[in-house]
Amino acid sequence: MPEPQNRPLTAPALRLALIAGARRVIAARDELNRINVFPVPDGDTGSNLASTLGSVLHGALSRRSRHAGELLLRVGNDAIDGARGNSGAIMAQFLMGLGEQARALSQLDAGELAAAVRRGADSARAALAQPVEGTILSVITAFADELDAAAGDRDAPADARSGFARALDRARRALADTPRQMALLQRAGVVDAGAQGFVDLLEGIAEFVEGG
């Protein structure tokens, strides 16, 4: 018998979902390095994101947890401690904001997940003196905006899982838009590597969720 889809997100489910997402980014490391042209074409965005998320895999995600907020806070701390490069630092700031917002919650419903992601998006943007659109920041913001919209839809309020799927679709569209926002990407014929890495994280999570 299928489980109800509107149940809250628990710590065990979040842990496994984040493991799947981190592994997806690590597997995509070489491709992310290949398309890395911003801010400089030094071919290390994939390596930096893989290293940052690897520190989380070997830290907070290596231990089981019963409290979602405590798990997410440990994930954020590990990401900050292990952050490498510009993209890794932005990802770490996002995860840190996520954990700070959720720290008191043993599990998360759709509204609480949206609030945590919004805090993460704001944290990532605030960490940069001069935020640039057409980067990972644009995709994180689009993801947060759609989660907010899904959770606040009075006609058909989404649960955490369906809201995530809707926000992932928005993030994919924002990723496809990055070359239109930045001429450097358009000339190179690529999307932003950091933004692709964030979508890879979300897609790894989605595959876990869809697989039950």
Side-chain angles (χ1 to χ4, degrees):
M1 181 176 180
E3 295 182 35
Q5 292 300 301
N6 60 353
R7 63 195 188 281
L9 296 174
T10 63
L14 280 170
R15 173 177 170 265
L16 293 174
L18 287 169
I19 288 172
R23 286 176 174 170
R24 176 71 172 261
V25 176
I26 291 168
R29 172 174 46 205
D30 291 344
E31 176 62 13
L32 296 175
N33 285 338
R34 186 189 71 79
I35 65 172
N36 173 204
V37 298
F38 177 84
V40 290
D42 49 6
D44 65 356
T45 291
S47 297
N48 289 338
L49 285 173
S51 179
T52 302
L53 292 172
S55 69
V56 175
L57 273 179
H58 296 299
L61 296 180
S62 69
R63 304 184 299 277
R64 294 184 181 183
S65 176
R66 292 180 177 274
H67 192 284
E70 291 174 359
L71 171 68
L72 291 173
L73 193 59
R74 291 201 307 271
V75 164
N77 283 325
D78 284 347
I80 290 290
D81 289 344
R84 275 184 52 186
N86 187 58
S87 55
I90 293 171
M91 179 74 82
Q93 287 292 336
F94 169 76
L95 293 171
M96 189 71 240
L98 192 77
E100 288 176 341
Q101 179 67 29
R103 65 192 306 162
L105 303 171
S106 61
Q107 53 189 18
L108 282 74
D109 63 19
E112 290 161 344
L113 176 63
V117 168
R118 172 60 63 196
R119 174 78 173 271
D122 291 345
S123 177
R125 190 168 287 273
L128 296 179
Q130 295 182 314
V132 177
E133 299 306 324
T135 66
I136 185 174
L137 288 177
S138 300
V139 176
I140 291 174
T141 297
F143 180 68
D145 287 347
E146 195 62 31
L147 268 185
D148 279 341
D153 189 339
R154 293 185 178 183
D155 294 328
D159 60 58
R161 288 160 182 78
S162 62
F164 179 90
R166 180 171 149 180
L168 171 55
D169 183 64
R170 174 78 178 275
R172 286 171 175 149
R173 285 185 277 122
L175 172 65
D177 280 342
T178 58
R180 288 187 279 274
Q181 294 175 282
M182 193 184 300
L184 177 63
L185 300 176
Q186 193 167 49
R187 287 195 299 271
V190 298
V191 296
D192 180 69
Q196 178 67 67
F198 184 73
V199 171
D200 286 337
L201 176 74
L202 300 181
E203 288 183 338
I205 292 171
E207 285 184 1
F208 167 77
V209 172
E210 290 164 7

Short mmCIF file of all heavy atoms in Angstrom, two decimals, residues 29-91:
data_model
loop_
_atom_site.label_atom_id
_atom_site.label_comp_id
_atom_site.label_asym_id
_atom_site.label_seq_id
_atom_site.Cartn_x
_atom_site.Cartn_y
_atom_site.Cartn_z
N ARG A 29 31.51 15.55 -11.30
CA ARG A 29 32.65 16.45 -11.10
C ARG A 29 33.38 16.81 -12.40
O ARG A 29 33.63 17.98 -12.68
CB ARG A 29 33.63 15.81 -10.11
CG ARG A 29 34.95 16.55 -9.95
CD ARG A 29 35.78 15.92 -8.86
NE ARG A 29 35.80 14.47 -8.98
CZ ARG A 29 36.01 13.63 -7.96
NH1 ARG A 29 36.23 14.11 -6.74
NH2 ARG A 29 36.03 12.33 -8.15
N ASP A 30 33.72 15.82 -13.21
CA ASP A 30 34.51 16.09 -14.42
C ASP A 30 33.74 16.95 -15.42
O ASP A 30 34.31 17.85 -16.05
CB ASP A 30 34.93 14.78 -15.08
CG ASP A 30 35.96 14.01 -14.25
OD1 ASP A 30 36.56 14.63 -13.34
OD2 ASP A 30 36.16 12.82 -14.52
N GLU A 31 32.44 16.70 -15.57
CA GLU A 31 31.64 17.50 -16.49
C GLU A 31 31.51 18.93 -15.98
O GLU A 31 31.57 19.89 -16.77
CB GLU A 31 30.25 16.88 -16.67
CG GLU A 31 29.30 17.68 -17.51
CD GLU A 31 29.76 17.89 -18.95
OE1 GLU A 31 30.72 17.21 -19.39
OE2 GLU A 31 29.17 18.75 -19.63
N LEU A 32 31.35 19.11 -14.67
CA LEU A 32 31.28 20.46 -14.10
C LEU A 32 32.60 21.20 -14.30
O LEU A 32 32.61 22.40 -14.60
CB LEU A 32 30.92 20.39 -12.62
CG LEU A 32 29.53 19.82 -12.29
CD1 LEU A 32 29.36 19.71 -10.77
CD2 LEU A 32 28.42 20.68 -12.89
N ASN A 33 33.71 20.50 -14.14
CA ASN A 33 35.01 21.13 -14.41
C ASN A 33 35.11 21.56 -15.88
O ASN A 33 35.64 22.63 -16.20
CB ASN A 33 36.14 20.16 -14.09
CG ASN A 33 36.39 20.00 -12.60
OD1 ASN A 33 36.02 20.86 -11.81
ND2 ASN A 33 37.00 18.90 -12.21
N ARG A 34 34.59 20.72 -16.78
CA ARG A 34 34.69 20.99 -18.22
C ARG A 34 33.96 22.27 -18.62
O ARG A 34 34.44 23.02 -19.48
CB ARG A 34 34.14 19.80 -19.02
CG ARG A 34 34.33 19.93 -20.53
CD ARG A 34 33.58 18.85 -21.28
NE ARG A 34 32.14 19.05 -21.23
CZ ARG A 34 31.46 19.91 -21.99
NH1 ARG A 34 32.10 20.70 -22.85
NH2 ARG A 34 30.15 20.01 -21.90
N ILE A 35 32.80 22.51 -18.01
CA ILE A 35 31.99 23.68 -18.43
C ILE A 35 32.27 24.92 -17.57
O ILE A 35 31.60 25.94 -17.73
CB ILE A 35 30.48 23.36 -18.39
CG1 ILE A 35 30.00 23.07 -16.96
CG2 ILE A 35 30.17 22.19 -19.33
CD1 ILE A 35 28.48 22.92 -16.85
N ASN A 36 33.26 24.85 -16.71
CA ASN A 36 33.58 25.97 -15.81
C ASN A 36 34.27 27.10 -16.57
O ASN A 36 35.43 26.98 -16.95
CB ASN A 36 34.47 25.45 -14.69
CG ASN A 36 35.03 26.53 -13.77
OD1 ASN A 36 36.06 26.32 -13.15
ND2 ASN A 36 34.37 27.66 -13.67
N VAL A 37 33.54 28.21 -16.80
CA VAL A 37 34.14 29.37 -17.45
C VAL A 37 34.01 30.64 -16.61
O VAL A 37 34.63 31.65 -16.92
CB VAL A 37 33.53 29.63 -18.85
CG1 VAL A 37 33.80 28.46 -19.77
CG2 VAL A 37 32.04 29.93 -18.76
N PHE A 38 33.17 30.62 -15.57
CA PHE A 38 32.96 31.80 -14.73
C PHE A 38 33.23 31.43 -13.27
O PHE A 38 32.86 30.33 -12.84
CB PHE A 38 31.52 32.32 -14.87
CG PHE A 38 31.23 33.49 -13.97
CD1 PHE A 38 31.56 34.78 -14.37
CD2 PHE A 38 30.65 33.31 -12.72
CE1 PHE A 38 31.31 35.86 -13.53
CE2 PHE A 38 30.41 34.37 -11.88
CZ PHE A 38 30.74 35.66 -12.29
N PRO A 39 33.87 32.30 -12.47
CA PRO A 39 34.37 33.64 -12.83
C PRO A 39 35.64 33.61 -13.67
O PRO A 39 35.96 34.56 -14.36
CB PRO A 39 34.59 34.31 -11.48
CG PRO A 39 34.84 33.19 -10.53
CD PRO A 39 34.00 32.04 -11.02
N VAL A 40 36.38 32.49 -13.57
CA VAL A 40 37.54 32.30 -14.45
C VAL A 40 37.51 30.85 -14.93
O VAL A 40 37.06 29.95 -14.20
CB VAL A 40 38.88 32.60 -13.72
CG1 VAL A 40 39.02 34.08 -13.45
CG2 VAL A 40 39.00 31.80 -12.43
N PRO A 41 38.01 30.59 -16.15
CA PRO A 41 37.96 29.23 -16.70
C PRO A 41 39.09 28.35 -16.16
O PRO A 41 39.96 27.90 -16.90
CB PRO A 41 38.09 29.46 -18.21
CG PRO A 41 38.90 30.70 -18.31
CD PRO A 41 38.49 31.57 -17.15
N ASP A 42 39.05 28.08 -14.86
CA ASP A 42 40.14 27.31 -14.25
C ASP A 42 39.77 25.84 -14.04
O ASP A 42 40.56 25.07 -13.47
CB ASP A 42 40.59 27.94 -12.93
CG ASP A 42 39.45 28.26 -12.00
OD1 ASP A 42 38.30 27.89 -12.31
OD2 ASP A 42 39.69 28.90 -10.95
N GLY A 43 38.59 25.43 -14.50
CA GLY A 43 38.23 24.02 -14.52
C GLY A 43 38.22 23.33 -13.17
O GLY A 43 38.57 22.15 -13.08
N ASP A 44 37.79 24.04 -12.12
CA ASP A 44 37.80 23.40 -10.80
C ASP A 44 36.47 23.47 -10.06
O ASP A 44 36.39 23.05 -8.90
CB ASP A 44 38.91 23.98 -9.93
CG ASP A 44 38.69 25.46 -9.58
OD1 ASP A 44 37.70 26.04 -10.09
OD2 ASP A 44 39.51 26.02 -8.84
N THR A 45 35.41 23.97 -10.71
CA THR A 45 34.12 24.07 -10.01
C THR A 45 33.63 22.71 -9.56
O THR A 45 33.15 22.55 -8.43
CB THR A 45 33.07 24.74 -10.92
OG1 THR A 45 33.41 26.12 -11.10
CG2 THR A 45 31.68 24.66 -10.30
N GLY A 46 33.73 21.71 -10.42
CA GLY A 46 33.29 20.37 -10.05
C GLY A 46 34.10 19.81 -8.89
O GLY A 46 33.55 19.23 -7.95
N SER A 47 35.40 20.00 -8.94
CA SER A 47 36.26 19.50 -7.87
C SER A 47 35.96 20.21 -6.55
O SER A 47 35.95 19.58 -5.48
CB SER A 47 37.74 19.71 -8.23
OG SER A 47 38.08 18.95 -9.38
N ASN A 48 35.71 21.51 -6.62
CA ASN A 48 35.41 22.27 -5.40
C ASN A 48 34.08 21.85 -4.78
O ASN A 48 33.98 21.68 -3.56
CB ASN A 48 35.41 23.76 -5.70
CG ASN A 48 36.80 24.31 -5.97
OD1 ASN A 48 37.79 23.73 -5.56
ND2 ASN A 48 36.87 25.42 -6.69
N LEU A 49 33.05 21.68 -5.62
CA LEU A 49 31.76 21.24 -5.10
C LEU A 49 31.85 19.81 -4.56
O LEU A 49 31.27 19.50 -3.51
CB LEU A 49 30.70 21.32 -6.20
CG LEU A 49 30.19 22.72 -6.54
CD1 LEU A 49 29.27 22.66 -7.76
CD2 LEU A 49 29.44 23.34 -5.36
N ALA A 50 32.57 18.95 -5.27
CA ALA A 50 32.72 17.56 -4.82
C ALA A 50 33.45 17.50 -3.49
O ALA A 50 33.08 16.72 -2.60
CB ALA A 50 33.47 16.74 -5.88
N SER A 51 34.47 18.32 -3.33
CA SER A 51 35.21 18.33 -2.06
C SER A 51 34.35 18.86 -0.92
O SER A 51 34.34 18.31 0.18
CB SER A 51 36.46 19.20 -2.21
OG SER A 51 37.18 19.26 -1.00
N THR A 52 33.60 19.94 -1.19
CA THR A 52 32.73 20.53 -0.17
C THR A 52 31.68 19.53 0.29
O THR A 52 31.46 19.33 1.50
CB THR A 52 32.05 21.79 -0.72
OG1 THR A 52 33.06 22.73 -1.14
CG2 THR A 52 31.16 22.44 0.32
N LEU A 53 31.00 18.88 -0.66
CA LEU A 53 29.96 17.93 -0.31
C LEU A 53 30.55 16.62 0.22
O LEU A 53 29.92 15.92 1.01
CB LEU A 53 29.06 17.67 -1.52
CG LEU A 53 28.22 18.88 -1.92
CD1 LEU A 53 27.50 18.64 -3.23
CD2 LEU A 53 27.21 19.24 -0.83
N GLY A 54 31.77 16.30 -0.20
CA GLY A 54 32.44 15.13 0.36
C GLY A 54 32.68 15.26 1.85
O GLY A 54 32.56 14.29 2.60
N SER A 55 32.98 16.48 2.29
CA SER A 55 33.18 16.71 3.72
C SER A 55 31.88 16.48 4.50
O SER A 55 31.90 16.04 5.65
CB SER A 55 33.71 18.12 3.98
OG SER A 55 32.73 19.10 3.69
N VAL A 56 30.75 16.75 3.85
CA VAL A 56 29.45 16.51 4.47
C VAL A 56 29.13 15.02 4.50
O VAL A 56 28.64 14.49 5.50
CB VAL A 56 28.34 17.29 3.72
CG1 VAL A 56 26.98 16.96 4.28
CG2 VAL A 56 28.59 18.79 3.79
N LEU A 57 29.44 14.34 3.40
CA LEU A 57 29.20 12.90 3.33
C LEU A 57 29.98 12.15 4.41
O LEU A 57 29.46 11.22 5.04
CB LEU A 57 29.63 12.35 1.96
CG LEU A 57 28.63 12.38 0.82
CD1 LEU A 57 29.28 11.82 -0.44
CD2 LEU A 57 27.39 11.59 1.16
N HIS A 58 31.22 12.56 4.62
CA HIS A 58 32.06 11.87 5.60
C HIS A 58 31.85 12.39 7.02
O HIS A 58 32.39 11.81 7.97
CB HIS A 58 33.54 12.02 5.20
CG HIS A 58 33.87 11.35 3.91
ND1 HIS A 58 33.73 10.00 3.70
CD2 HIS A 58 34.31 11.86 2.73
CE1 HIS A 58 34.09 9.69 2.47
NE2 HIS A 58 34.44 10.81 1.85
N GLY A 59 31.05 13.45 7.16
CA GLY A 59 30.76 14.02 8.47
C GLY A 59 29.34 13.74 8.90
O GLY A 59 28.98 12.62 9.25
N ALA A 60 28.50 14.78 8.80
CA ALA A 60 27.12 14.68 9.30
C ALA A 60 26.33 13.55 8.67
O ALA A 60 25.56 12.86 9.35
CB ALA A 60 26.40 16.00 9.07
N LEU A 61 26.52 13.32 7.37
CA LEU A 61 25.70 12.32 6.69
C LEU A 61 26.18 10.90 6.92
O LEU A 61 25.51 9.94 6.52
CB LEU A 61 25.65 12.62 5.19
CG LEU A 61 24.98 13.94 4.81
CD1 LEU A 61 24.99 14.13 3.30
CD2 LEU A 61 23.55 14.01 5.36
N SER A 62 27.31 10.74 7.57
CA SER A 62 27.81 9.40 7.87
C SER A 62 27.19 8.83 9.13
O SER A 62 27.38 7.65 9.45
CB SER A 62 29.34 9.41 8.02
OG SER A 62 29.72 10.12 9.20
N ARG A 63 26.43 9.66 9.86
CA ARG A 63 25.83 9.23 11.12
C ARG A 63 24.31 9.37 11.05
O ARG A 63 23.81 10.37 10.54
CB ARG A 63 26.36 10.08 12.28
CG ARG A 63 27.87 10.06 12.40
CD ARG A 63 28.33 10.83 13.62
NE ARG A 63 27.97 12.25 13.59
CZ ARG A 63 28.68 13.17 12.95
NH1 ARG A 63 29.76 12.83 12.26
NH2 ARG A 63 28.30 14.44 12.99
N ARG A 64 23.60 8.41 11.58
CA ARG A 64 22.15 8.47 11.60
C ARG A 64 21.67 9.53 12.58
O ARG A 64 22.35 9.85 13.53
CB ARG A 64 21.57 7.10 11.97
CG ARG A 64 21.85 6.05 10.92
CD ARG A 64 21.18 4.74 11.27
NE ARG A 64 21.48 3.72 10.27
CZ ARG A 64 20.98 2.50 10.28
NH1 ARG A 64 20.15 2.13 11.25
NH2 ARG A 64 21.29 1.63 9.32
N SER A 65 20.49 10.07 12.31
CA SER A 65 19.94 11.11 13.17
C SER A 65 18.43 10.96 13.24
O SER A 65 17.79 10.49 12.30
CB SER A 65 20.29 12.49 12.61
OG SER A 65 19.68 13.52 13.37
N ARG A 66 17.86 11.36 14.38
CA ARG A 66 16.41 11.33 14.55
C ARG A 66 15.79 12.73 14.52
O ARG A 66 14.58 12.86 14.59
CB ARG A 66 16.06 10.66 15.90
CG ARG A 66 16.38 9.17 15.96
CD ARG A 66 16.02 8.60 17.32
NE ARG A 66 16.25 7.17 17.38
CZ ARG A 66 15.38 6.24 17.00
NH1 ARG A 66 14.20 6.61 16.52
NH2 ARG A 66 15.67 4.96 17.10
N HIS A 67 16.63 13.75 14.44
CA HIS A 67 16.15 15.14 14.50
C HIS A 67 16.60 15.87 13.23
O HIS A 67 17.79 16.10 13.02
CB HIS A 67 16.72 15.82 15.74
CG HIS A 67 16.10 17.14 16.07
ND1 HIS A 67 16.40 18.29 15.37
CD2 HIS A 67 15.19 17.50 17.02
CE1 HIS A 67 15.72 19.30 15.88
NE2 HIS A 67 14.97 18.84 16.88
N ALA A 68 15.64 16.26 12.39
CA ALA A 68 15.96 16.86 11.09
C ALA A 68 16.75 18.15 11.24
O ALA A 68 17.73 18.37 10.52
CB ALA A 68 14.68 17.11 10.31
N GLY A 69 16.34 19.03 12.15
CA GLY A 69 17.02 20.30 12.30
C GLY A 69 18.47 20.14 12.75
O GLY A 69 19.35 20.83 12.23
N GLU A 70 18.70 19.24 13.70
CA GLU A 70 20.07 19.00 14.15
C GLU A 70 20.92 18.44 13.02
O GLU A 70 22.09 18.80 12.86
CB GLU A 70 20.06 18.05 15.35
CG GLU A 70 19.46 18.67 16.61
CD GLU A 70 19.33 17.68 17.75
OE1 GLU A 70 19.68 16.49 17.55
OE2 GLU A 70 18.86 18.08 18.83
N LEU A 71 20.34 17.54 12.23
CA LEU A 71 21.06 16.98 11.09
C LEU A 71 21.44 18.09 10.10
O LEU A 71 22.60 18.18 9.67
CB LEU A 71 20.18 15.94 10.39
CG LEU A 71 20.72 15.42 9.05
CD1 LEU A 71 21.99 14.61 9.25
CD2 LEU A 71 19.66 14.60 8.32
N LEU A 72 20.48 18.93 9.74
CA LEU A 72 20.75 19.98 8.76
C LEU A 72 21.75 21.00 9.28
O LEU A 72 22.56 21.53 8.51
CB LEU A 72 19.44 20.67 8.36
CG LEU A 72 18.47 19.81 7.54
CD1 LEU A 72 17.14 20.52 7.36
CD2 LEU A 72 19.07 19.43 6.20
N LEU A 73 21.72 21.27 10.57
CA LEU A 73 22.70 22.19 11.15
C LEU A 73 24.11 21.60 11.08
O LEU A 73 25.07 22.29 10.74
CB LEU A 73 22.33 22.53 12.59
CG LEU A 73 23.09 23.70 13.22
CD1 LEU A 73 22.86 24.99 12.43
CD2 LEU A 73 22.67 23.89 14.67
N ARG A 74 24.24 20.30 11.36
CA ARG A 74 25.54 19.64 11.23
C ARG A 74 26.01 19.62 9.78
O ARG A 74 27.21 19.80 9.50
CB ARG A 74 25.48 18.21 11.79
CG ARG A 74 25.31 18.12 13.30
CD ARG A 74 25.77 16.77 13.83
NE ARG A 74 25.14 15.65 13.15
CZ ARG A 74 23.98 15.09 13.52
NH1 ARG A 74 23.34 15.56 14.57
NH2 ARG A 74 23.49 14.07 12.85
N VAL A 75 25.08 19.40 8.86
CA VAL A 75 25.42 19.43 7.44
C VAL A 75 25.98 20.81 7.07
O VAL A 75 27.03 20.91 6.39
CB VAL A 75 24.17 19.11 6.58
CG1 VAL A 75 24.39 19.52 5.12
CG2 VAL A 75 23.84 17.62 6.66
N GLY A 76 25.32 21.86 7.51
CA GLY A 76 25.79 23.21 7.22
C GLY A 76 27.16 23.49 7.80
O GLY A 76 28.03 24.06 7.13
N ASN A 77 27.37 23.08 9.04
CA ASN A 77 28.67 23.31 9.68
C ASN A 77 29.79 22.56 8.97
O ASN A 77 30.88 23.10 8.76
CB ASN A 77 28.61 22.88 11.15
CG ASN A 77 27.88 23.89 12.01
OD1 ASN A 77 27.97 25.09 11.79
ND2 ASN A 77 27.16 23.41 13.02
N ASP A 78 29.51 21.30 8.59
CA ASP A 78 30.52 20.52 7.88
C ASP A 78 30.83 21.13 6.51
O ASP A 78 31.99 21.12 6.07
CB ASP A 78 30.04 19.08 7.70
CG ASP A 78 30.14 18.26 8.98
OD1 ASP A 78 30.78 18.72 9.95
OD2 ASP A 78 29.54 17.16 9.03
N ALA A 79 29.79 21.63 5.84
CA ALA A 79 30.00 22.25 4.54
C ALA A 79 30.86 23.51 4.66
O ALA A 79 31.77 23.74 3.85
CB ALA A 79 28.66 22.58 3.89
N ILE A 80 30.59 24.33 5.68
CA ILE A 80 31.39 25.54 5.90
C ILE A 80 32.84 25.16 6.19
O ILE A 80 33.78 25.75 5.64
CB ILE A 80 30.81 26.37 7.07
CG1 ILE A 80 29.47 27.00 6.67
CG2 ILE A 80 31.80 27.44 7.52
CD1 ILE A 80 29.56 28.10 5.65
N ASP A 81 33.04 24.17 7.05
CA ASP A 81 34.40 23.76 7.40
C ASP A 81 35.16 23.19 6.21
O ASP A 81 36.38 23.36 6.10
CB ASP A 81 34.36 22.70 8.52
CG ASP A 81 33.94 23.27 9.86
OD1 ASP A 81 33.96 24.51 10.01
OD2 ASP A 81 33.57 22.48 10.75
N GLY A 82 34.45 22.52 5.30
CA GLY A 82 35.12 21.87 4.17
C GLY A 82 34.99 22.61 2.85
O GLY A 82 35.40 22.08 1.81
N ALA A 83 34.44 23.83 2.87
CA ALA A 83 34.18 24.55 1.62
C ALA A 83 35.47 24.85 0.86
O ALA A 83 36.46 25.27 1.44
CB ALA A 83 33.44 25.85 1.92
N ARG A 84 35.39 24.63 -0.44
CA ARG A 84 36.52 24.96 -1.32
C ARG A 84 36.02 25.77 -2.49
O ARG A 84 35.01 25.45 -3.10
CB ARG A 84 37.17 23.67 -1.85
CG ARG A 84 38.20 23.07 -0.91
CD ARG A 84 38.86 21.87 -1.52
NE ARG A 84 39.40 22.13 -2.86
CZ ARG A 84 39.93 21.18 -3.65
NH1 ARG A 84 39.95 19.92 -3.25
NH2 ARG A 84 40.40 21.50 -4.83
N GLY A 85 36.74 26.83 -2.82
CA GLY A 85 36.44 27.63 -3.99
C GLY A 85 35.17 28.45 -3.84
O GLY A 85 34.43 28.35 -2.86
N ASN A 86 34.90 29.26 -4.85
CA ASN A 86 33.75 30.15 -4.84
C ASN A 86 32.44 29.37 -4.81
O ASN A 86 31.56 29.63 -3.99
CB ASN A 86 33.79 31.06 -6.08
CG ASN A 86 32.72 32.13 -6.05
OD1 ASN A 86 32.67 32.93 -5.13
ND2 ASN A 86 31.89 32.16 -7.07
N SER A 87 32.32 28.37 -5.66
CA SER A 87 31.08 27.60 -5.74
C SER A 87 30.85 26.79 -4.47
O SER A 87 29.73 26.68 -3.97
CB SER A 87 31.11 26.67 -6.96
OG SER A 87 32.25 25.84 -6.93
N GLY A 88 31.94 26.23 -3.93
CA GLY A 88 31.81 25.47 -2.69
C GLY A 88 31.40 26.35 -1.53
O GLY A 88 30.58 25.95 -0.69
N ALA A 89 31.92 27.58 -1.49
CA ALA A 89 31.57 28.50 -0.41
C ALA A 89 30.10 28.91 -0.51
O ALA A 89 29.41 29.01 0.51
CB ALA A 89 32.47 29.73 -0.47
N ILE A 90 29.60 29.14 -1.73
CA ILE A 90 28.20 29.51 -1.89
C ILE A 90 27.29 28.36 -1.50
O ILE A 90 26.28 28.55 -0.80
CB ILE A 90 27.93 29.96 -3.34
CG1 ILE A 90 28.67 31.27 -3.64
CG2 ILE A 90 26.43 30.15 -3.58
CD1 ILE A 90 28.64 31.68 -5.09
N MET A 91 27.63 27.15 -1.94
CA MET A 91 26.84 25.98 -1.56
C MET A 91 26.84 25.81 -0.04
O MET A 91 25.80 25.51 0.56
CB MET A 91 27.43 24.72 -2.21
CG MET A 91 26.69 23.43 -1.87
SD MET A 91 25.09 23.26 -2.69
CE MET A 91 25.63 22.65 -4.31
#
